[in-house]
Amino acid sequence: MQFIQSKIKRDHLFFILCLCGVIFIGGCTSYQKNLNTFDKLYYEKNQQKAYAFSKKFIKKNDLLWEIQNGVSAYMVGEYKESIATLNQAEATLNKNYEAGIFSSATSNIGATLINDNVKSYKGYIYEGVLINYYKALDSLLMGDNALARVEFNRANDRQRRAKEYYQKEIKKALEAQNEQDKQKDAKFLSGNKTQSQVDNILNTKYSNLKNFQAYDGFVNPLVSYVSGLYFSLEGDSKGIDLLKQAYGINHSKFVGEDIILFQDHQVDQNKYTWVIIEDGKAAFKEEFSLELPLVLNDKVYYFGIALPQIIEGVDFYHTFNLKSPSKITDFEEISLFDGVITNEFSKQLPYILTRSIISTAYKTFMQILLNENLGTIAGIMGAIFSVATTAADTRITTVFPHKIWLSRMQNHENEDKITLQADGKNIFEFEFANCPNASAKSDITQPNKIKNKTQSDKICKNTNNLIYLRTTKNNIIYKLLIGEKQ
């Protein structure tokens, strides 16, 4: 009878372990496949299809997909839908960050026994900043300057508070870890040992982080610059302070000149056109794993750890310039998103590593218990479960650009046709036109346009203009954020 009961328990255990492994692998594969499909649509085919595809997943209250869908809605001109979805994303992200990004390393049992993929996507502060930033752009294109002002202020306030937030959260996490170290109830788990393992992995496997140009602090100069330009054109003195903040980070010649233009009120005498280009695909995550046999009491156990690492973003073009009949004006890089992403990832990395090491220790301990209490086959099944559930959380939003480029030109009466060149090739054109009734405010009646390369548009030369361009592998997404079209 005892033998039969023991066999039933064993069979149940095998079934549970196998079922967990199969469910987990299927879920992860499906999630990553959907992200890959979105990326191919977004960057290589049709942004409208990418927007429609991402819409299928926002009903599940998935923060990552809410951001993907909200930004792609902006790209295809669905500005109201973009704001609505990004509002949902902002509410989710705010809730996550109020709860704390660094929960105790063993606070989520599912994540500890399996991995971080079982948790909902918490997001990053830089994503929250960009949620407000794109809502501000949506608002400009809808002609709602009051809302644009609110969202620009929120984006900059979120950047300002990010450093203070991380200092507070790191302090809380260290206090929780110290409390956990005092208890030391679990075999294989020593706080000092775990910390030394973390330090060793950081030094040996993440030395490539030093190669990224991580920004000091949490300020994305793109957000500071566009906010500063908007406020300055509106005659708000805070605009110059934001331009100075951007200049302090990127030291761009154009940004420095803009500060002088507004301080000396030159924009009151002349009209200018600024062109912002979002190019490429931002840094993303990939998994790397460390696997080795662990020999205890003449028995071999599986000991594996899987961790995320940042992979450098991708450029679609390397140089840009504006070509007019009289001159060629080069663009300057004013923001590298990899720096923003890497900076925040590096703050969270020690806690990701600690969690992974603890998870690996639990799984190894489980194999030993199964082997000692239920026999070799049970131990093997435990090892299979460990292999199946050892995976890094590589989820990250993929809609953001790699680099931001800026150029500016004065609107001259005798120059009408301007060509944008990328790597020496003509990829976009726009024309200046005299607009007698221009008001220098955004023209909200113009629809969004996704253009084939070299298509052109006419804008008013007697207004200050801010042109937004987003490059993909096949298209140019064009918007006039400030100014008017003929």
Side-chain angles (χ1 to χ4, degrees):
M1 186 69 172
Q2 225 172 7
F3 171 76
I4 294 174
Q5 289 177 338
S6 176
K7 186 177 186 305
I8 291 173
K9 287 180 181 178
R10 247 188 241 118
D11 290 343
H12 284 178
L13 180 62
F14 295 166
F15 175 75
I16 291 170
L17 290 175
C18 291
L19 183 62
C20 287
V22 169
I23 291 173
F24 170 75
I25 292 172
C28 284
T29 302
S30 175
Y31 200 100
Q32 191 58 52
K33 183 179 178 182
N34 289 334
L35 280 176
N36 292 342
T37 299
F38 174 87
D39 286 358
K40 194 163 187 68
L41 290 172
Y42 188 77
Y43 288 107
E44 298 181 24
K45 294 187 178 180
N46 183 296
Q47 287 73 41
Q48 189 69 50
K49 290 182 179 179
Y51 165 62
F53 179 79
S54 63
K55 205 168 187 177
K56 297 187 294 185
F57 305 106
I58 61 174
K59 296 177 181 178
K60 300 177 182 178
N61 295 319
D62 187 319
L63 173 60
L64 188 150
W65 280 109
E66 287 172 349
I67 297 172
Q68 301 276 94
N69 179 260
V71 175
S72 58
Y74 160 79
M75 295 298 172
V76 300
E78 299 290 347
Y79 304 123
K80 289 183 179 179
E81 288 78 2
S82 175
I83 288 176
T85 304
L86 291 176
N87 279 339
Q88 294 176 28
E90 184 177 14
T92 303
L93 188 137
N94 287 343
K95 184 179 178 180
N96 290 343
Y97 275 73
E98 285 171 9
I101 53 171
F102 298 140
S103 56
S104 174
T106 56
S107 62
N108 187 308
I109 299 301
T112 302
L113 293 180
I114 301 179
N115 61 58
D116 282 349
N117 286 286
V118 303
K119 300 189 298 179
S120 60
Y121 182 75
K122 279 198 168 186
Y124 292 88
I125 288 178
Y126 80 83
E127 291 172 327
V129 171
L130 292 170
I131 285 172
N132 294 121
Y133 172 75
Y134 281 105
K135 285 202 293 177
L137 302 190
D138 283 322
S139 302
L140 283 178
L141 290 159
M142 292 170 62
D144 192 340
N145 275 351
L147 184 56
R149 172 179 288 271
V150 168
E151 295 298 345
F152 277 133
N153 281 332
R154 285 176 178 169
N156 286 285
D157 187 56
R158 199 183 289 273
Q159 290 191 138
R160 180 184 60 79
R161 291 185 287 109
K163 184 175 182 179
E164 178 184 328
Y165 178 85
Y166 265 96
Q167 288 174 340
K168 182 181 71 173
E169 286 299 303
I170 290 171
K171 182 181 178 182
K172 282 167 54 180
L174 289 174
E175 289 173 351
Q177 183 63 50
N178 290 337
E179 186 63 30
Q180 200 174 68
D181 289 348
K182 292 176 184 177
Q183 297 175 9
K184 292 185 180 178
D185 289 333
K187 194 175 179 182
F188 289 91
L189 298 179
S190 161
N192 292 331
K193 181 180 179 182
T194 301
Q195 186 59 51
S196 66
Q197 290 171 318
V198 168
D199 291 340
N200 182 57
I201 293 173
L202 280 172
N203 291 330
T204 58
K205 298 299 180 181
Y206 285 92
S207 58
N208 70 316
L209 288 179
K210 299 174 184 177
N211 298 328
F212 291 94
Q213 298 177 33
Y215 293 131
D216 182 20
F218 294 85
V219 176
N220 184 335
L222 166 68
V223 176
S224 302
Y225 176 74
V226 175
S227 303
L229 183 60
Y230 167 75
F231 285 123
S232 296
L233 287 171
E234 289 287 302
D236 190 328
S237 60
K238 79 167 67 172
I240 292 179
D241 291 334
L242 288 166
L243 291 176
K244 288 178 179 178
Q245 184 180 70
Y247 181 77
I249 298 170
N250 58 33
H251 304 291
S252 161
K253 175 178 71 74
F254 283 123
V255 178
E257 289 173 351
D258 283 343
I259 295 170
I260 297 171
L261 284 177
F262 287 107
Q263 284 182 332
D264 294 349
H265 304 286
Q266 294 182 41
V267 288
D268 298 334
Q269 304 162 23
N270 304 298
K271 299 302 178 184
Y272 296 87
T273 294
W274 289 263
V275 182
I276 292 272
I277 299 175
E278 292 186 0
D279 178 67
K281 178 182 175 183
F284 54 96
K285 296 179 187 175
E286 281 188 356
E287 176 183 297
F288 80 86
S289 57
L290 303 170
E291 299 178 345
L292 50 111
L294 179 66
V295 181
L296 292 173
N297 299 325
D298 297 325
K299 294 188 181 295
V300 180
Y301 300 97
Y302 171 82
F303 185 92
I305 185 169
L307 298 165
Q309 63 178 341
I310 292 288
I311 304 300
E312 186 177 0
V314 178
D315 292 329
F316 296 147
Y317 299 101
H318 300 93
T319 62
F320 295 91
N321 62 64
L322 289 176
K323 185 178 180 182
S324 71
S326 62
K327 65 183 296 188
I328 295 177
T329 305
D330 291 332
F331 280 74
E332 281 187 329
E333 177 191 317
I334 64 164
S335 180
L336 174 67
F337 270 47
D338 288 15
V340 178
I341 295 168
T342 305
N343 181 49
E344 194 164 352
F345 176 75
S346 65
K347 295 290 186 296
Q348 295 191 14
L349 185 55
Y351 303 94
I352 295 171
L353 292 173
T354 298
R355 202 175 188 85
S356 297
I357 290 168
I358 291 173
S359 176
T360 297
Y362 273 133
K363 290 173 186 176
T364 305
F365 189 45
M366 177 191 69
Q367 292 176 60
I368 295 171
L369 288 177
L370 289 171
N371 190 76
E372 290 178 351
N373 293 282
L374 297 176
T376 303
I377 295 178
I380 292 172
M381 293 303 296
I384 292 172
F385 173 80
S386 297
V387 172
T389 58
T390 298
D393 182 1
T394 57
R395 291 172 295 179
I396 190 170
T397 45
T398 59
V399 286
F400 299 125
H402 183 215
K403 292 177 181 176
I404 307 298
W405 298 83
L406 169 68
S407 189
R408 180 195 63 251
M409 62 183 302
Q410 187 174 339
N411 304 349
H412 292 291
E413 285 295 326
N414 59 345
E415 293 184 351
D416 292 332
K417 191 172 184 179
I418 308 298
T419 301
L420 172 65
Q421 295 184 322
D423 296 342
K425 299 178 182 178
N426 297 348
I427 65 168
F428 181 74
E429 293 177 350
F430 64 91
E431 295 181 56
F432 284 117
N434 287 306
C435 305
N437 299 318
S439 63
K441 296 293 183 182
S442 269
D443 181 354
I444 65 172
T445 64
Q446 296 291 336
N448 166 76
K449 293 184 179 180
I450 298 178
K451 292 178 170 291
N452 295 323
K453 294 175 183 178
T454 73
Q455 281 188 285
S456 64
D457 212 335
K458 288 187 177 182
I459 65 174
C460 297
K461 68 169 60 176
N462 50 323
T463 64
N464 289 311
N465 306 297
L466 174 57
I467 294 175
Y468 167 97
L469 297 170
R470 176 63 160 112
T471 64
T472 69
K473 292 184 178 179
N474 299 315
N475 296 315
I476 301 292
I477 300 172
Y478 159 79
K479 300 175 189 294
L480 185 64
L481 296 177
I482 299 173
E484 288 195 18
K485 303 174 190 176
Q486 189 182 56

